[in-house]
Amino acid sequence: MAHHGMHGRRPTLEEVAARAGVGRGTVSRVINGSPRVSDRTRAAVEEAVAALGYVPNTAARALAANRTDSIAVVVPEAESRFFSEPYFSGIVGGVGIALAETNLQLLLTFAGGEREQDKLASYLAAHRVDGVLLVSVHSDDPLADRLHQMDLPTVISGPRSADEPLPSVDSDNLSGARAAVEHLVSRGRRSVAIITGPLDVYGAERRLAGYQDQLIAEGLPYDEELIAYGDFTEEGGRRCMAELLERRPGLDAVFACSDLMASGARQVLREAGRRIPDDVALVGFDDSVIAQHMEPSLTSVRQPTRDMGRAMTGLLLDEIALAAEGKRSSARRGAERHLVLPTELVIRASS
């Protein structure tokens, strides 16, 4: 049993930090098993902990005892959608890369329906995981609120709104959409349609906003009839493209807000005898495998999904360390809790 010095009082985190020659944050990262510490630093801190007989405060001790060394990636969608949507695999791939350097296990959970969400909530409430990465969330998704109330460290991919309380990682949807429209107009297109994603997804709403902003910047009229409301599925892309051709047979460009929808749109354009890009230029969003293998190959806005997965994991590890210190992240809100990664237009044959 470690002795607590002459005064019977417990050594503090500060004293451990001073002895090890590091900051308190570093000490708590070592104690919480964060991977972001060099072996040398870890050894120095462990030596100081042992020498001083430091015991983390009760809350942190309870937490350490409760550490499950696993985090959950929660996808509030049906499984089938997860496997057809390249966005998801990119993010989970990035999470996997980031976790490879840690001793944390990854738990992948689909919580599409209310029953699954209830089951998941009670699983999480029992402290079965240390933290949650929530991927692809609709603005009215009750799960995000439940996690927020549970005080379980959680990071969300794509905020639900401009004032998202949970830490988030997103790609720059607005400027990605603007780049797509700017490119189409620079190619001489004047009747540029959009197939949107579901507008209860903040990222989809931002893409529509970027489309509108850029049309105005280009001095082109903003025409309701050139907007078709999709759902990020291939079938949705087909339906929207058929609608658009019926309303505006003379359109000469389409910005589909996902590669999957672009693929559906392309089938309908082909069936209608429209040549791509001669008659109608086509741009997608995601720069997924689909874009490269489409015929003709698809111009698309690249989202750095792997980097997003990595960044989400980094934020979550920080949240877990803060929780163990008994600090909630609300104390350090601000920009570093909401990362926005750049997008990039990848130009191919379809435009």
Side-chain angles (χ1 to χ4, degrees), residues 94-125:
V95 174
I97 291 167
L99 287 181
E101 300 140 32
T102 74
N103 55 1
L104 290 167
Q105 285 297 323
L106 178 61
L107 189 78
L108 180 59
T109 318
F110 303 102
E114 213 174 321
R115 232 185 77 232
E116 289 94 334
Q117 295 202 355
D118 288 342
K119 196 171 99 180
L120 176 69
S122 57
Y123 181 82
L124 298 175

Side-chain angles (χ1 to χ4, degrees), residues 174 177-186 189-194 207-227 252-255:
L174 187 87
R178 292 194 69 147
V181 175
E182 182 183 29
H183 164 72
L184 288 165
V185 175
S186 76
R189 309 293 166 153
R190 287 293 168 269
S191 181
V192 181
I194 184 173
R207 287 173 206 176
L208 176 58
Y211 163 86
Q212 293 166 331
D213 288 357
Q214 194 59 34
L215 281 183
I216 292 163
E218 303 281 358
L220 287 173
Y222 170 65
D223 178 354
E224 280 288 340
E225 299 228 300
L226 285 171
I227 300 177
D252 58 11
V254 178
F255 168 40

Side-chain angles (χ1 to χ4, degrees), residues 33-291:
S34 163
R36 304 170 156 202
V37 186
S38 75
D39 291 344
R40 228 176 95 194
T41 304
R42 180 174 284 115
V45 170
E46 284 168 353
E47 188 278 331
V49 165
L52 293 169
Y54 173 73
V55 187
N57 70 47
T58 13
R61 263 221 319 282
L63 244 168
N66 270 331
R67 284 299 295 275
T68 62
D69 292 327
S70 63
I71 65 172
V73 170
V74 176
V75 183
E77 300 277 358
E79 252 171 271
S80 58
R81 207 176 141 232
F82 177 89
F83 290 107
S84 67
E85 176 64 76
Y87 173 79
F88 293 121
S89 51
I91 287 191
V92 173
V95 174
I97 291 167
L99 287 181
E101 300 140 32
T102 74
N103 55 1
L104 290 167
Q105 285 297 323
L106 178 61
L107 189 78
L108 180 59
T109 318
F110 303 102
E114 213 174 321
R115 232 185 77 232
E116 289 94 334
Q117 295 202 355
D118 288 342
K119 196 171 99 180
L120 176 69
S122 57
Y123 181 82
L124 298 175
H127 295 294
R128 297 285 178 76
V129 300
D130 298 322
V132 172
L133 297 172
L134 193 53
V135 184
S136 166
V137 178
H138 300 265
S139 54
D140 58 353
D141 191 322
L143 189 58
D145 286 330
R146 284 168 93 163
L147 291 170
H148 188 50
Q149 281 149 15
M150 278 164 109
D151 236 16
L152 178 66
T154 301
V155 175
I156 198 168
S157 86
R160 287 165 291 168
S161 72
D163 38 70
E164 174 59 65
L166 293 167
S168 69
V169 175
D170 205 1
S171 66
D172 194 340
N173 291 293
L174 187 87
S175 74
R178 292 194 69 147
V181 175
E182 182 183 29
H183 164 72
L184 288 165
V185 175
S186 76
R187 290 283 203 267
R189 309 293 166 153
R190 287 293 168 269
S191 181
V192 181
I194 184 173
I195 298 176
T196 76
L199 296 185
D200 64 336
V201 174
Y202 183 64
E205 187 245 302
R206 300 314 290 151
R207 287 173 206 176
L208 176 58
Y211 163 86
Q212 293 166 331
D213 288 357
Q214 194 59 34
L215 281 183
I216 292 163
E218 303 281 358
L220 287 173
Y222 170 65
D223 178 354
E224 280 288 340
E225 299 228 300
L226 285 171
I227 300 177
Y229 299 96
D231 57 5
F232 283 153
T233 68
E234 189 169 20
E235 188 38 57
R238 291 182 64 94
R239 176 179 53 75
C240 286
M241 193 66 248
E243 260 172 50
L244 289 166
L245 281 178
E246 202 170 304
R247 276 191 245 146
R248 282 278 183 275
L251 61 82
D252 58 11
V254 178
F255 168 40
C257 288
S258 78
D259 289 352
L260 213 47
M261 293 194 300
S263 163
R266 186 201 63 108
Q267 294 161 24
V268 171
L269 286 167
R270 186 159 275 188
E271 286 155 16
R274 300 291 203 288
R275 291 163 311 162
I276 302 170
D278 316 32
D279 305 323
V280 179
L282 184 61
V283 175
F285 202 111
D286 286 330
D287 190 37
S288 60
V289 178
I290 297 169

